[in-house]
Amino acid sequence: MATPAEGSMAALLPDLPKGPLQAYRARASFSWKELLLFLEGEDMLRFKHTIFSALESDPLFDRSCGADLPMEKYRELSFLRCKRVFEYDFLCLEDMLQTPLKVLALVGCLGMYDWSLSNKYFLHAFTFTSAIYTSGTERHFEYIQKAFRMEIFGCFALTEVSHGSNAKAIRTTAHYDPASQEFVIHSPDFEASKFWVGNMGKTATHAVVFAQLYTPGAQCWGLHSFLVQIRDPKNLLPMPGVMVGDMGKKLGQNGLDNGFAMFHQVRIPRQNLLNRIGDVTPEGTYVTPFKQWRLLPYLAAAYALDHFSKSLFLDLMELQQGLFRNDQSVRQAELGREIHALASAGKPLASWTAQRGIQECREACGGHGYLAMSRLGDLRNDNDPNCTYEGDNNVLLQQTSNYLLSLLARKLQDGARFESPLRTVDFLGAYPDILAQRFPGPGRAGLDSSAPLAAYKWLVCYLLRESYQKLEQEKRSGSSDFEARNNCQVYACRSLALAFLELTVVQRFHDHAHHPGVPPPLRAVLRRLSALYALWSLSPHVTLLYRGGYFSDEQAGKMVESAILDLCSQLKDDAVALVDVIAPPDFVLNSTIGRADGEATLAPSPPEQHRPRNCRHIQHLQPGAIAPPGRPPTTSSLAFPVPPRLSPPVGS
C-alpha cells in the first residue's frame, strides 16, 4: 500500500499515457521522474502543476480560441486572460522575494501556453512595477498596489523611433514649470515618438516614460523616468495631449499590443517624477543624493597626498644634508630607515590612488572620457609605469612592513622604545593600550579626522600584531625567513604597510589643516578635505575593524558611510574652486573636456603633422585630483625622490 507521500507524488507526476513512445521511453537508463524532481524540486513542481491545472480547467483558456481569432479579438482575449492570471494570485510579493525562481517559472508556464500572454503579464507585473519600485520612492508605491489590483495597466516607454539602445540620446523632454509645479512632457517631432512599447497599443493606462529633464533656465539634467497617465482607465480613451495607437499586425505574438505615443505639452504633477536618483524642488531646483560622490574623495586625496609628498621631500632634504655633513649619528641612520619605509609604501599608495582615480573619472565622463582628445587615456598610460618602476608596488610594501616588524621585534626582545626621528611610529609606544580601545560610538566626532585617526592607530597595531604572529607561526613550521615573509605578505603585511602609510598621510594632513597658521576663511574647507580623505581611506578597512573588534555593531560602519556622504555634500559647492587651485593651464592640460571655462570642445583632432609636439609630459600633475564638470581631471602619481642607496632592488 502506497504511503501518503508516495500517493502525493504520484498525483504530482502521474505516469504518461501509453502509446508508440512507450517502448522508447522504457529504454532510458534513468527515471525521468527522478531527474525532473532532482532538477526542479518538489515545491517548484507543485507550483507549476497549480498553474497548468488552473489554466486547463478555466474555460477562458480553452484552446479552441486564440491565435486564429481576428487580431482585435485576440488582443482583447489576451487582456482578459492576463487579468484572470492576476485573479488567481499564483505569486504574491512575499513568494517573489523568498523564491525568485518562481517568477521565471510563472513566466515560462504562461509562455508555453501563449507567449503573447506571458509577455503582456510580465511587462505589466514586473517591468512596469519594478521600474516604479527601483526608480521611485514611497510616494509612488501606491501605483504598484493599483497595478496588482488591475486598477491601472502599465507599460515601459523608453524606445523612440530614432533612438532605441542609445538611451542617452532620447529626445522626449520634461520641462518643469514652477508656477504650476508640473512637468510638461513633450515629443518635439515624430522621431521622438515612443515606439514598439508593449501593452501601449490598446490596453495600457499608465506608462513609465523616459525623458530629458529640464529645470528653469533650460538646464538639462539628463534622462529621468516619469509616471504618465496615457488613457482613462474607465473607457481607455487617450488623455488630453496624448496621441497613442497600435503598431498593427506583427509576424507573431499578436496577442500583445505593441504601440506608439506622442506627447503634446502633457502636464503631470511634480510628484510623478520617479525621484530615487534625483528630484526637483517646488521652486525648480534639481537635487540628487549622488552629486559628486564618485569624484570628490579623489579631490581630497590630491590635497592630502600632495601635502605628504612635499613634507616627505623636506624630510629627504634633511637626510641629504646629513649625508653631506658626513653625519654618522644613530639618528641619521634611523632617519634613513624611516624615510625608506615611508617612500616604499608612498609610491604604491600614490600610484594606485591615481590609477583608480583616472579610471573613475574616465567612466564618470562616459563616452567623452574614452575619446583620445580628453587625454584621460594619456594620463592613465603615463601613470601606469609608476606602479612598477623603482620596484613593483607589492614588493615595495614588504620593505615597509619589514621596518615595522623589526621595531616590534626589538620591543619584545630588548624592550626598546617605539620612536623614530619623524615620529611616525611613536604612537606604537601605547601599543597594548591602543589594542584595548574600541570605537567610541556615534556622534559628530565622525565628521572630524580625529575619529578615523584613532581608528587607524588601532588598525595598525592590530595588523602589526597579526603580522608578527603569522610570521612567527611560519618560522615555527619550518619556513625559511624569505618564505615566511612572503607567506605573510598577502593578507597581513601588505595591509599593514598600506594602513601605516595611510595613517601617516592622514595624520600629516590633519595637522596641516588644523595648524593655527591656516587663515580663518580656509580652515573649514581644509578640515573637510582632511576628514573626507581620512574616512574614505579608512572605509575599505571596515571589515578588519569589525574582525578585530574595534567596531562591534552595524551603526559604526553606517556612520562611516554617512559621514563620507555628508562631507561630499558639504564640499560640492567648493569643488570647482578646489580644482582651480591645483589645475594646470589649459595649454598644459590640452584636454577637450577639461577647459577652465567649462566648455567642451569636441572637435576632431588636427592632423598628426600639425599637432604641437611640446605639450605632453611637462605638467606636474597631482595624485587623484578628479575634477567636477567644467574643470580638468588632473591625475597622476607622485614620483617619490628616493635616493638610489635607499631604493630597494626589484624582487627584494
Side-chain angles (χ1 to χ4, degrees):
M1 182 176 180
T3 65
E6 290 173 338
S8 176
M9 287 303 299
L12 182 63
L13 293 174
D15 291 334
L16 296 171
K18 294 183 178 181
L21 284 179
Q22 181 66 20
Y24 296 94
R25 190 171 289 124
R27 297 177 185 177
S29 62
F30 63 92
S31 165
W32 69 268
K33 295 182 181 181
E34 183 179 358
L35 180 57
L36 179 59
L37 188 62
F38 170 73
L39 293 175
E40 295 281 7
E42 183 177 347
D43 183 55
M44 190 64 73
L45 288 177
R46 293 192 182 281
F47 178 65
K48 289 184 175 182
H49 179 74
T50 299
I51 297 170
F52 287 137
S53 297
L55 300 186
E56 187 174 3
S57 60
D58 191 328
L60 188 62
F61 293 89
D62 186 83
R63 278 296 192 182
S64 62
C65 56
D68 294 332
L69 291 172
M71 187 180 69
E72 294 296 325
K73 291 292 185 180
Y74 184 21
R75 291 185 174 173
E76 180 181 348
L77 181 60
S78 293
F79 178 76
L80 293 175
R81 286 171 171 172
C82 183
K83 184 178 180 182
R84 183 63 57 84
V85 171
F86 275 97
E87 292 171 355
Y88 279 125
D89 195 22
F90 291 124
L91 196 58
C92 66
L93 183 59
E94 184 179 353
D95 287 337
M96 292 182 198
L97 297 175
Q98 291 182 352
T99 316
L101 287 178
K102 284 188 175 180
V103 174
L104 294 181
L106 175 57
V107 172
C109 289
L110 295 177
M112 284 184 271
Y113 173 78
D114 182 352
W115 281 109
S116 290
L117 168 62
S118 179
N119 287 330
K120 190 171 191 65
Y121 175 83
F122 185 85
L123 287 169
H124 172 67
F126 300 110
T127 306
F128 175 69
T129 58
S130 66
I132 296 174
Y133 183 78
T134 58
S135 298
T137 52
E138 288 186 8
R139 74 189 190 197
H140 305 108
F141 292 168
E142 62 175 299
Y143 290 95
I144 297 176
Q145 299 299 324
K146 290 181 178 180
F148 277 93
R149 293 194 298 263
M150 289 292 287
E151 296 175 13
I152 62 174
F153 203 70
C155 61
F156 184 84
L158 173 64
T159 301
E160 296 179 353
V161 170
S162 60
H163 294 98
S165 57
N166 184 11
K168 287 188 176 181
I170 292 297
R171 300 180 61 229
T172 302
T173 60
H175 286 265
Y176 181 68
D177 179 5
S180 62
Q181 296 189 22
E182 294 173 316
F183 284 101
V184 181
I185 309 296
H186 185 67
S187 307
D189 51 44
F190 173 73
E191 290 187 351
S193 304
K194 297 298 181 183
F195 230 59
W196 281 111
V197 181
N199 289 343
M200 180 176 272
K202 295 290 184 180
T203 52
T205 62
H206 289 71
V208 172
V209 175
F210 285 79
Q212 304 289 347
L213 189 158
Y214 287 84
T215 51
Q219 184 168 6
C220 180
W221 296 97
L223 201 63
H224 286 67
S225 51
F226 302 81
L227 197 57
V228 182
Q229 184 174 348
I230 60 175
R231 287 188 177 94
D232 187 334
K234 297 178 180 178
N235 51 32
L236 294 183
L237 293 176
M239 299 299 291
V242 179
M243 178 188 293
V244 60
D246 192 274
M247 296 287 297
K249 191 170 184 177
K250 307 185 294 289
L251 296 179
Q253 296 192 31
N254 281 297
L256 176 64
D257 50 319
N258 293 85
F260 66 89
M262 291 187 69
F263 304 95
H264 181 71
Q265 307 293 335
V266 176
R267 290 182 170 267
I268 62 172
R270 179 182 67 88
Q271 292 81 0
N272 281 30
L273 166 64
L274 299 179
N275 63 333
R276 184 176 293 274
I277 64 169
D279 205 353
V280 175
T281 66
E283 298 76 22
T285 301
Y286 183 83
V287 293
T288 173
F290 300 104
K291 189 173 180 182
Q292 298 294 340
W293 173 84
R294 295 173 64 181
L295 308 181
L296 280 173
Y298 288 102
L299 184 57
Y303 276 82
L305 289 171
D306 179 65
H307 175 72
F308 173 71
S309 69
K310 290 173 180 175
S311 66
L312 184 62
F313 184 78
L314 293 177
D315 296 332
L316 178 60
M317 290 303 99
E318 179 186 349
L319 177 67
Q320 295 282 25
Q321 291 169 9
L323 293 174
F324 293 148
R325 296 194 306 268
N326 197 28
D327 187 345
Q328 301 292 326
S329 66
V330 174
R331 184 187 186 281
Q332 175 74 0
E334 289 299 319
L335 179 61
R337 293 184 68 222
E338 186 174 13
I339 290 177
H340 175 64
L342 293 174
S344 294
K347 185 181 84 74
L349 178 62
S351 57
W352 279 335
T353 301
Q355 185 184 63
R356 294 192 303 268
I358 295 168
Q359 185 64 24
E360 192 70 60
C361 191
R362 210 295 294 160
E363 294 177 15
C365 291
H368 298 324
Y370 196 62
L371 288 173
M373 294 179 289
S374 73
R375 290 203 65 238
L376 283 168
D378 289 342
L379 293 179
R380 183 167 60 186
N381 293 339
D382 289 347
N383 174 71
D384 200 50
N386 292 337
C387 300
T388 51
Y389 71 58
E390 292 293 338
D392 174 86
N393 281 353
N394 288 285
V395 175
L396 286 178
L397 288 171
Q398 198 169 26
Q399 301 292 310
T400 306
S401 60
N402 286 346
Y403 170 72
L404 295 170
L405 287 168
S406 69
L407 294 178
L408 180 58
R410 285 163 52 184
K411 170 69 173 177
L412 296 176
Q413 294 168 11
D414 305 325
R417 297 175 59 186
F418 283 110
E419 57 183 6
S420 62
L422 302 178
R423 305 188 65 182
T424 59
V425 300
D426 288 13
F427 73 96
L428 292 173
Y431 173 79
D433 295 333
I434 291 175
L435 283 174
Q437 294 176 2
R438 295 295 179 264
F439 183 63
R444 290 194 56 83
L447 297 178
D448 184 80
S449 46
S450 59
L453 269 173
Y456 257 123
K457 290 177 181 178
W458 180 92
L459 179 63
V460 172
C461 290
Y462 172 74
L463 289 172
L464 181 58
R465 183 188 69 185
E466 295 292 300
S467 299
Y468 185 81
Q469 291 176 351
K470 174 67 172 174
L471 181 62
E472 291 301 304
Q473 177 186 344
E474 289 289 331
K475 289 180 179 179
R476 287 194 300 269
S477 67
S479 299
S480 66
D481 186 70
F482 178 80
E483 292 174 334
R485 292 185 184 277
N486 280 341
N487 292 341
C488 293
Q489 183 67 10
V490 178
Y491 290 113
C493 295
R494 183 181 185 274
S495 299
L496 168 63
L498 283 172
F500 169 70
L501 200 281
E502 289 166 1
L503 166 61
T504 305
V505 175
V506 169
Q507 183 70 66
R508 290 194 176 189
F509 194 45
H510 171 87
D511 295 343
H512 177 61
H514 290 78
H515 193 277
V518 176
L522 304 180
R523 290 174 184 170
V525 67
L526 286 176
R527 292 176 183 180
R528 286 170 183 158
L529 287 172
S530 173
L532 176 57
Y533 177 72
L535 288 162
W536 177 71
S537 297
L538 183 68
S539 59
H541 302 295
V542 163
T543 301
L544 287 171
L545 294 171
Y546 275 112
R547 190 175 78 185
Y550 187 75
F551 284 173
S552 59
D553 58 49
E554 65 178 15
Q555 287 303 117
K558 289 181 178 180
M559 181 182 173
V560 172
E561 296 173 353
S562 177
I564 291 172
L565 293 177
D566 286 344
L567 286 162
C568 286
S569 178
Q570 293 171 30
L571 283 166
K572 64 182 176 62
D573 290 338
D574 291 325
V576 172
L578 285 167
V579 175
D580 289 336
V581 174
I582 60 176
D586 288 349
F587 165 75
V588 174
L589 190 67
N590 194 28
S591 170
T592 56
I593 63 172
R595 292 162 52 95
D597 60 9
E599 296 290 341
T601 55
L602 297 176
S605 301
E608 184 67 33
Q609 63 269 27
H610 293 147
R611 292 181 188 171
R613 296 188 176 273
N614 61 342
C615 296
R616 297 185 61 197
H617 310 299
I618 60 175
Q619 63 262 47
H620 177 71
L621 301 176
Q622 310 299 324
I626 303 301
R631 283 316 315 259
T634 59
T635 311
S636 183
S637 76
L638 297 172
F640 283 93
V642 186
R645 70 182 66 190
L646 296 178
S647 299
V650 175
S652 61

